[in-house]
Every structure is written in C-alpha cells, then in structure tokens.
Amino acid sequence: MYLLATVGLAVLLALPTTAFHDGNLNYHSPSRRHPNLGIDVPLVSRRSFKRGAIAFKPSELNFTHGVASGDPYPSSVILWTRIAPSLNSSNSDVTVKGTVPLYNHDTETYIKADANPVCVDWSIRQAAGNSTISVSSGRAYTTGDIDYTVKVMTRCHTPPALASTEVLQVEATGLTPFTTYRYQFTVCGSSNKSPEGLTKTAPAENADVSELKFAVFSCSNYPNGYFNAYGNAARKAQQDYVVSINGLTRQVFRTVLIPKQVHLGDYIYESATGGPRAHNPPRLLFTLFDYRTRHGQYRSDPDLQLLSKDFAWIATWDDHEVANNGYRDGFSALNNTEESFRNDGPSISVDQRKMNAVRAYFEWMPIRQVDMDDNLRIWRNFKMGKLMDFIVLDTRNYDRSITTLGWNDDYIGLISDDAGRTLMGSHQENWFYRQLSESAARSATWRIIGNQIIFSRVIEEFGVNGDNWNGYVANRNRTLKHLYDNKIGNNVFLAGDSHQNWVSDLVWLGEKPYDKATGAGGLGVEFAGTAVTSTGARGTLTTTDAAARKRIDQSSVLQWQDGYYRGYFIMSVRKDRIVTQFFGSPSVATRNAWDLPLANFTVLAGANRLSRPVANGSVETGSLRGGTVKHTNVTLNTQTGLWQKIGFDKMFISTS
C-alpha cells in the first residue's frame, strides 16, 4: 500500500497537478460570475503536495455514500461520489469564508485545511452487452475542503491505448445520445472500487423519440419515515422496452423502465426533529458543516442510494434545502434584521446561511454548476428530442418576493395581486417565457415545467395558500397570458411542496372560458405530487377523503385530490399522449416494499386537458370529480412481485 501511494505521488509531482483538481467540478464556483465561491485550485495543489504531506492509504478510504448521476445531456452526464476516511463531514469552511477569491493569496487558511488529497479514477462504458471497454475515463482529486465529494462531467473519447496524458482528459468529445452506460470510481492505484452504477444520456435535440419516462418525487423528511418510495421506484425499474430514434426502431437491451428521476425539492429538511430517525446534527441548520452533515445523513439511506445508483436525476431545490418559506431576504424563522440576527440563530445572517446551504447542495447533488447570472442559478432546460422540453424553475431562492412567514398572512393576502410581486425575478421570468416560445417554435410536442409549488388556483379549508402561486397572482397571470397569447399548448406543470396529491386542468380562470365537466378552454394540465415522507393531511382515510371532497367542490379546475398517502408518480411521455400513474406508500413508519396504485391519468396531445372520464372514472383514494373512490388496498410487494391486500395502522414514525 505504501509503495502504491509513493509511486502515485511521484507521478503526480511530474504532472500539472492543477489539472487534476480542475477535473473535479466541486472545486469550481457554482457561478462563473462569482469566482469567489470557488476554491483556489493552485493553492490547494501546492499545499496538498507540500513536503511531509502523507496521503491516505487506499485501505483507509471508503465510498461512504454510494454513487449517483444526474443532469443528462445528449453528450454528457454528471457523475458523483464521496470517497473519504470517515462518514463524518468536514468542518472546513474555506469555500464560504471571507472573500474567497479564486486566485486568493491568503495561504494560512488553506494550509490549515486538509493537506491529504484523495485521488480517484473514474470510467464509463456502454451497458449494452456488458462491455468492458471504457468510452470515457479520467482522474480527479478531492479533500476535506469540499467534504471529500467528487463530481465530474463525463464525455467520451475514442479509446486508443491509454497514454499518460489522457488521465487528465476529464472532458473529451461526447457520449452517444439516449444511451445507457455503466460507471464506476476507483481509488487511484488500488482495487478499492465504488459500487457500479447505471446512467443514461438524454436524446439529441432533434431526435425522433417515441417515449420517455420520469419518476417524480418531492419532500423527503428523514425523521418522518423511511424512503420507501425511492426503493419501490428503483426495484420496479427493470424491463425490456423499445425506442425509436430518428425513425429507426430498434430493440434495446434489458435496462431501465424509468430513464430519469425528477426531484422537485425539499430533498433535505433543516429542522432539529428527533425520534428513531432523528436529524443529524440535532439542531437547526446554519453552518456549512451543518448542511453537509445533513446531506450525508440523507444520502446514507439505502433506498435513496439504490435509486441514485442506477438512474440519472434532474433535481431542483424547494425551501427546506435552505430554510422554511425562503424568499430573497429571509425565511420564516430568520429575517434580514439585526434583531433576528441576534435572537433567531447563532449570529449567522440570512445571506451567509443561504451561501452555506447552496455550497453544500452543489457538493452533494449530481447537478450541473450552470452559469448563474447575478445569483445562484439552478433553473435550466433539457431539450429531449422533438418529444419535449423539460424546463426546471426556481420559484424559491433565486429572486422571490416576500412570502408567508407565519406572522404576515393577512399582509400577503392584501398584496397578492400586486404586479410587482414575482416568484422568479425578471431575469428568470423572461428566460422562462423565452423557453416556452422556443420550445413551441422548434415543434417540440410537450413542454414539461418542473417547479416547486402548486400553480393552479385551488382553494383549501383556510382559503388560498399565499406561499404558492396563489400569493403571486400577477406572476401566474403573466405566465398564462404568454401561453394563451402565443397559442402555446401541450403544457404540463409539475409541483411538489404541499405533501398531497393534486391533479388539475391548466386554466386562466376569470379570463378564459372553461368547462370543468369537459375540460374545454384549458391549455394543459398540472400534476402535483405528494411527499416521499413529509406529513400530509392529518387523520384517517375517511377524514382525508372527506377533506378532499371539500377541496374538489371549492376548486373548479381540481379533478383529483388525496392527502393521505405518501408516494410518487411516474409520467410516461409519448408523442400522442402522456400517461401519469400515482403510487402510494401504505406506511413509512417501517421500511417496507409495499407500493399501492392510486390513480391513472391520460392527457392526449392537442387536447390541453385531462381525458374524460378523468382517471377512467375510478381512483383508490381521495376524491375524484365525477368519479368513484374504491379502497381496494391491493398492493404490490416490489421485492417479491406479489400482490396482496395490505393495511397499516400507522403512517409515520413518531418524532416526539
């Protein structure tokens, strides 16, 4: 082991070490316009290889949190892992401290940080035929400065005999579109390997794609319950399927049923909740170390690791990745005032807390560090063949006007119609409208909009919720006006946040005619999903069904509502239709493999409404406009493949 480490160090000293560190995207700033959020790569390289530094032995290192992939493009995909001497997160805060310029001359801070770089090689190969030939490979380093996380963007090279310079080739020419690959990390010069994962590139922008499937999740609260929804979706995903690319039909090897995973936010929670799955650290999150530790705890969950390993993720954040009910100048429990600074936390400002949370999120998630114009941008678009555009928004943290904070609900009600209120800020909002228009202009069949919060005007027991689009009426009206004025149809809004299921026609109520019986007058639909584990409507099936009926009666666009089950939904996007299937977890109080079908919905291309009868006239739970509810409890065990009538007395873990 010592010999391998010594030889590796000698080779590295002969090569430009900054190239190795540059290969790890986590050393970069999340924004090219904010280089101060990055790490001084030359300085880290110098201090890492200074005389007397002792590298970790490969046997001292572990891939502590599995592997993951995300943000698939036609020619590349992000790969992620963590290779560390411990499960514990690093307490280094150099990435968020002081001015942190990219070429900082301050050496003391960095010298005191971890001086032992960890070296990993990564490789990616086609999964078809179980190929052993690498189509892309590279090397990257990590240290405690970035919590020992590794994130690389894979592209591919034509694999000649490997030359010494090619270990630096992290970015090469391009992976093949719409292709499944196997990937793996290895500690340099050793047999210490990560689990092998599967990932899949996106279709080329102009490709003729017959079908894409997405599993959609939101709101996974660790203390509340087990992440059964993640495990169920992962276990159900093995199936033969046929795809059509550029009109050429071919049989694809046995691979994933769900090419992409979508997470609409609240991937972690910042609370100090206790119980059998108590939050770690056991306090409200403020520091970089806090957020890193919480991400590490969540990613230790075996079902999350299972789903992450073999499926490419497309993720966006909601509020709890930073703090509850966030907006541009604060959160529900921390305002941007001196009084709040002194009394509501450990003297960490709103801006510093957000900076800490964002840094940890980009370190721990397989997400591209896109160019962020004037702020920390996460909104982006995926053009997936001629079939669809997947437009991901940030309606939480980018440039949002004040929201409900627990003490100002009446005020938000008074100003909800103000033209100056925005969920996205003018830069993102104009970009969003441009993406919608460009998608229609390039003749993409569908526009799928992934956002955090409910878009439709739904009315709850207490009235409208000022923390979703109902508190930003002018912003919603501007969006609807752009769609109607430009005759852009086939729109599907996705949402999370509410911890309940809502399915609606997409309509501009009060401005455009709408028939709730037929759906005529709409320009799309909305699928808003329940939580993986976060608490939903309180009560029994009987009481939650009754509450759902009231919501249906009060909201003309709402067609199905359920607040009882935790779960997820799978959306199959085809040229002629979208079919969306909702699934529920009968209980998250224990780790189990039970997966209950709740409701199925169809949207025909060009119809711009849910097909009638909605859900074929029958659902498992909740309330369905013009249909029936039948509680069969016939549930699939995703481990055994057997169906059985199942019931649980308890939905959640007790956290008291």
Side-chain angles (χ1 to χ4, degrees):
M1 294 295 185
Y2 284 109
L3 177 60
L4 288 173
T6 303
V7 171
L9 183 59
V11 171
L12 292 171
L13 288 173
L15 295 172
T17 58
T18 55
F20 288 123
H21 288 95
D22 280 333
N24 189 345
L25 298 182
N26 278 335
Y27 275 98
H28 298 194
S29 168
S31 170
R32 297 186 198 120
R33 296 195 176 195
H34 298 80
N36 59 310
L37 290 181
I39 298 176
D40 189 332
V41 170
L43 182 59
V44 171
S45 299
R46 290 198 302 273
R47 76 134 192 269
S48 296
F49 298 109
K50 72 182 190 293
R51 185 183 300 274
I54 301 174
F56 289 108
K57 303 176 188 178
S59 60
E60 295 175 316
L61 298 168
N62 292 289
F63 292 95
T64 55
H65 294 81
V67 297
S69 69
D71 273 17
Y73 281 2
S75 62
S76 65
V77 67
I78 298 294
L79 303 182
W80 179 95
T81 193
R82 183 174 187 267
I83 178 66
S86 169
L87 280 169
N88 297 331
S89 280
S90 169
N91 60 7
S92 169
D93 62 356
V94 295
T95 58
V96 295
K97 192 172 183 178
T99 56
V100 286
L102 184 59
Y103 299 108
N104 181 26
H105 292 289
D106 176 10
T107 61
E108 184 68 15
T109 302
Y110 293 92
I111 290 171
K112 288 182 177 179
D114 186 352
N116 299 310
V118 176
C119 171
V120 291
D121 292 325
W122 57 267
S123 65
I124 185 167
R125 54 192 174 87
Q126 286 199 10
N130 200 24
S131 171
T132 60
I133 300 174
S134 173
V135 298
S136 186
S137 61
R139 174 170 289 187
Y141 277 77
T142 186
T143 73
D145 293 328
I146 53 174
D147 208 10
Y148 297 104
T149 57
V150 176
K151 187 163 65 176
V152 295
M153 181 168 64
T154 69
R155 297 185 179 178
C156 127
H157 56 264
T158 301
L162 187 64
S164 60
T165 56
E166 288 181 306
V167 295
L168 305 179
Q169 191 65 53
V170 175
E171 298 185 21
T173 55
L175 299 177
T176 303
F178 208 35
T179 301
T180 302
Y181 291 94
R182 299 182 186 276
Y183 67 95
Q184 193 168 37
F185 297 87
T186 306
V187 176
C188 296
S190 81
S191 59
N192 186 353
K193 296 181 181 294
S194 74
E196 185 178 69
L198 285 171
T199 191
K200 191 169 189 176
T201 50
E205 180 177 333
N206 294 316
D208 183 12
V209 184
S210 62
E211 183 177 22
L212 288 169
K213 291 190 177 184
F214 300 83
V216 183
F217 303 87
S218 63
C219 305
S220 40
N221 189 318
Y222 193 90
N224 249 38
Y226 290 87
F227 295 162
N228 298 331
Y230 290 154
N232 287 335
R235 282 185 291 271
K236 291 193 305 183
Q238 294 296 325
Q239 180 170 312
D240 292 309
Y241 72 108
V242 175
V243 298
S244 178
I245 300 177
N246 295 327
L248 178 64
T249 302
R250 61 178 180 171
Q251 182 70 33
V252 178
F253 58 94
R254 186 169 180 80
T255 184
V256 296
L257 167 66
I258 308 167
K260 307 289 182 285
Q261 311 296 320
V262 178
H263 202 293
L264 297 175
D266 289 347
Y267 169 83
I268 67 166
Y269 279 71
E270 83 284 10
S271 65
T273 309
R277 275 167 63 98
H279 263 150
N280 182 36
R283 57 180 175 271
L284 200 61
L285 306 185
F286 282 90
T287 69
L288 177 59
F289 174 76
D290 290 345
Y291 285 103
R292 284 172 167 174
T293 300
R294 188 64 54 83
H295 272 279
Q297 180 186 34
Y298 275 56
R299 200 167 276 283
S300 69
D301 182 90
D303 288 314
L304 175 54
Q305 287 193 19
L306 182 65
L307 190 67
S308 298
K309 180 173 71 73
D310 290 340
F311 304 96
W313 282 51
I314 297 173
T316 186
W317 51 41
D318 198 355
D319 53 342
H320 288 286
E321 286 85 352
V322 185
N324 183 55
N325 284 24
Y327 69 106
R328 69 166 71 104
D329 288 320
F331 318 102
S332 63
L334 183 69
N335 301 312
N336 208 357
T337 64
E338 181 179 356
E339 180 184 8
S340 186
F341 173 78
R342 294 184 180 279
N343 298 322
D344 295 333
S347 296
I348 292 178
S349 68
V350 165
D351 294 325
Q352 185 61 50
R353 187 186 193 185
K354 183 180 289 187
M355 185 173 175
N356 296 339
V358 167
R359 185 72 213 186
Y361 186 87
F362 273 93
E363 287 175 351
W364 279 84
M365 296 295 290
I367 185 174
R368 291 177 186 272
Q369 297 173 322
V370 295
D371 184 36
M372 303 173 189
D373 194 357
D374 300 329
N375 211 324
L376 298 175
R377 172 178 167 179
I378 201 171
W379 35 278
R380 58 211 192 278
N381 187 15
F382 299 84
K383 297 179 180 180
M384 295 187 167
K386 286 289 191 179
L387 185 61
M388 58 174 281
D389 276 47
F390 195 101
I391 304 169
V392 181
L393 302 180
D394 179 359
T395 58
R396 277 296 186 186
N397 297 306
Y398 183 69
D399 195 14
R400 177 181 174 135
S401 302
I402 191 170
T403 186
T404 55
L405 303 173
W407 48 267
N408 66 341
D409 289 1
D410 291 342
Y411 171 59
I412 297 301
L414 291 173
I415 65 172
S416 62
D417 288 340
D418 285 5
R421 282 177 60 71
T422 176
L423 281 164
M424 296 180 276
S426 61
H427 184 199
Q428 182 184 181
E429 195 173 325
N430 290 328
W431 170 89
F432 175 38
Y433 302 151
R434 188 167 63 252
Q435 300 309 302
L436 293 170
S437 294
E438 290 177 359
S439 175
R442 76 180 189 89
S443 299
T445 303
W446 301 96
R447 278 144 294 284
I448 314 296
I449 298 99
N451 98 123
Q452 292 74 18
I453 51 181
I454 293 174
F455 183 88
S456 300
R457 188 177 187 275
V458 296
I459 301 173
E460 304 185 49
E461 297 90 339
F462 53 83
V464 295
N465 185 345
D467 188 47
N468 60 31
W469 286 79
N470 286 299
Y472 302 79
V473 176
N475 198 161
R476 180 169 60 197
N477 288 345
R478 288 192 293 269
T479 302
L480 291 166
K481 185 176 190 302
H482 183 85
L483 293 172
Y484 276 101
D485 286 357
N486 293 281
K487 297 180 172 57
I488 301 173
N490 285 349
N491 307 292
V492 179
F493 272 75
L494 309 181
D497 182 65
S498 72
H499 310 170
Q500 301 187 46
N501 289 312
W502 315 73
V503 174
S504 307
D505 290 321
L506 193 66
V507 181
W508 194 357
L509 289 175
E511 291 291 331
K512 302 295 180 181
Y514 170 64
D515 185 334
K516 64 184 179 182
T518 66
L523 42 66
V525 301
E526 179 172 28
F527 296 119
T530 186
V532 173
T533 58
S534 300
T535 305
R538 301 281 184 176
T540 64
L541 275 171
T542 300
T543 60
T544 55
D545 282 1
R549 287 193 291 273
K550 290 182 180 179
R551 297 186 184 106
I552 293 286
D553 291 341
Q554 294 173 152
S555 308
S556 61
V557 299
L558 186 60
Q559 300 296 317
W560 177 61
Q561 206 280 321
D562 161 60
Y564 183 80
Y565 285 102
R566 308 303 86 205
Y568 63 103
F569 61 90
I570 293 176
M571 183 175 62
S572 172
V573 184
R574 309 172 194 170
K575 291 181 180 180
D576 64 337
R577 68 188 62 204
I578 288 178
V579 177
T580 300
Q581 301 170 289
F582 283 76
F583 298 91
S585 298
S587 173
V588 296
T590 62
R591 188 184 179 204
N592 62 75
W594 295 109
D595 198 54
L596 177 64
L598 300 180
N600 298 333
F601 302 91
T602 300
V603 185
L604 298 179
N608 292 310
R609 58 178 175 82
L610 293 159
S611 293
R612 267 56 174 184
V614 176
N616 293 318
S618 179
V619 295
E620 173 73 25
T621 187
S623 179
L624 177 67
R625 185 181 300 278
T628 60
V629 176
K630 299 178 181 178
H631 292 292
T632 68
N633 294 327
V634 177
T635 311
L636 172 68
N637 186 314
T638 60
Q639 288 181 325
T640 66
L642 299 178
W643 292 85
Q644 188 175 335
K645 283 193 173 183
I646 287 294
F648 288 86
D649 294 330
K650 186 177 180 181
M651 175 61 74
F652 303 102
I653 293 176
S654 175
T655 58
S656 58

